[in-house]
Amino acid sequence: MGELINIFIKSAFIENLALSYFLGMCSYLAVSKTVKTAFGLGLAVIFVLAITMPINWAINTYLLGEGGMFGTDLTFLRLILFIAVIASMVQLVEMVVEKYSPSLYNSLGIFLPLITVNCAILGGSLFMVSKEYGFAESVSFGLGGGFGWFLAIIAIAAIREKIRYSDVPAPLRGLGMAFLLTGLMGLAFMSLMGIDLAAFN
Amino acid sequence: MHSTNQVIKFVLIMTTLVALTLAGLFTFLKPVHEANEALYNKKAILSAVATKLDTPLSEMSGEQIEDLFKTSIDQKVVNQRGEEMSEADVVAAGYKGGKAEHVKIRKEKKKSDADRLLPFYTYTNAKGEKSYIVSIVGNGLWDEIWGNIALEADGSTIAGVAFDHQGETPGLGAEIKDNTSWKNQFSGKELYAANGDFKSIAVVKGGSKGGPHEVDGISGATITADGVAEMMDRGMSYYQPYFQKIKK
Amino acid sequence: MAEAAVAKKQGMTFGKNEKKLLVDPLSTNNPITVQVLGICSALAVTTGMKNSLVMAIAVVFVTMFSSLITSALRNAIPKQVRMIVQLVIIATLVTIVELTLKAVSYDSYKQLSVFIGLIITNCIVMGRLEAFAMGNDPYRSALDGIGNGLGYGVILMAIAFVRELFGKGEFFGLKIIGASPEYWVDTAAEGSWMGWYQPNNLMILFPAAMFVIAVMIWIHRAWKPQLVDVS
């Protein structure tokens, strides 16, 4: 259990997908103008990461590996299957949410298509493979990674809301400032590298 | 709009085409991939004795490296009890080639101490001088780190080190691989104290005093550097029974 | 999207419109600094120029062929599964790139690791398919793909140039300036006019890429004020 909590904390704070690896930047920059929309997208990312990660883990272990169902090395299909799983899961989630919770759909729905091409989702699955995580570990990594991304986008959105009242040089307004801020947040997050994970065990 | 039938037909045709193309390319390139991987590994082993080579590794072609490896490296696999393992044992442990160069140390890390296979290389230069190269693995900040350590013929003095990592931060933890002057510090350090006890190299934060068992840390990468120290201590101790044996 | 209407006439001519397709993405419609697409990989691989060049070539290859194939199939692709079909085309091309790179340059393959795979989710590729290739003929789509790939590559190389030079004192892995005799200009040597320079490790860290892009956007928009964000 301690190991899983470690992975959660590590993926949420230390290896933050948005601020340490700068993954999912397209939607991160495009949808961080207000906290309200950022909140919706952040939730959707947690949701999709936590679902796709274990599925991709199962595909990678039971279908593609040499010890898998077909007995041969099918790793060249990994990218295609991963992205297909992500795209179809996103569509499935969209349909389920629309059917059973129209209110959630109204706040989350428009962000779901954006998530398919969010590199944080595919990146998470690829990192999971290169780190050779097991099933429980990949669930924990998915949740933690999603939570970290959620935190990052909420933080930048809050800062961008405030900075609208500041006198920023015209060419830096909007996008330029968002990049600078993300860089500074990345530096701030680097200080979390010093967290002693053994303390949580 | 296309009918469901058409959609299914289109998807089926596309999937078949894609799968066939990729499978073909994959099978076609597989021998090249395997050769590249083997060469990369040999380079990593040889770079531990980089200071002893006549030409730097970066200036050698792939064939020259293969050649050098074949003529100057003698390899065996040992275990923690100091026994040499036969090729059949190595194959039984899951490595088809049966030689030390086929052992994947990152895979060995997951096994229990007693079951681990330990690759052991002996490098002999043109003058017939020997040095030993061993492979160790441990944890850095983000992920695994591993490396090859070369020892002089006395089995105590370090001749050179080469580290690699899965995902340390570029500019911080990744310096263990990229920073040559940091790695050069290890050369000439000792694994045995004057009284003959095993004593590994410590990585000292804030500057070492130049003692035979310590090197400088890397600023901003304390955890990775500590990981290196821990890896050396544990990894080298695995090899001690075998070193005791060859000393006799 | 305005550019979807470009070039309704067919044929393999190379006129003003075609040139626009190639050149626009390099500056006024740059995918990174103007359209804000494809940032993820731009940051991670720009610590050295060599990796960036490999990445840029890979992306140009993928954007060009995915545009070409999607455009050629645009009337056959069923609308219901459009997204998945596009993703499969892109993923196939990326896998081809990955397999080839692993065979040609194993070192680069090791260093770029997951970031080659992440080209799939590089929004430039998908964005161009949706905005251009689904509505134009294969020839012009391919040009558009090359243009956008190059626009991405140029920025990538520029960021890498700044980061590698100031971070390591190197250019394409060749040591240029630094306080050690193994560099081309030994800045620590007595009488060296560049004796002040000490490679700045900050430039190698991830956040530095953010700062470099921000400064680039600043310069770009100061030079072309019509791009300034008014909101």
Side-chain angles (χ1 to χ4, degrees), chain C residues 138-150:
Chain C
Y139 169 59
R140 284 174 185 79
S141 300
L143 283 184
D144 178 74
I146 298 175
N148 277 281
L150 284 179

Side-chain angles (χ1 to χ4, degrees), chain B residues 199-218:
Chain B
K199 190 180 178 206
S200 182
I201 315 291
V203 179
V204 183
K205 204 174 165 181
S208 87
K209 297 189 181 65
H213 303 286
E214 55 182 38
V215 293
D216 274 341
I218 300 171

Side-chain angles (χ1 to χ4, degrees), chain C residues 84-97:
Chain C
I84 297 237
V85 170
Q86 288 172 355
L87 281 172
V88 169
I89 293 173
I90 299 170
T92 311
L93 289 165
V94 172
T95 314
I96 292 175
V97 168

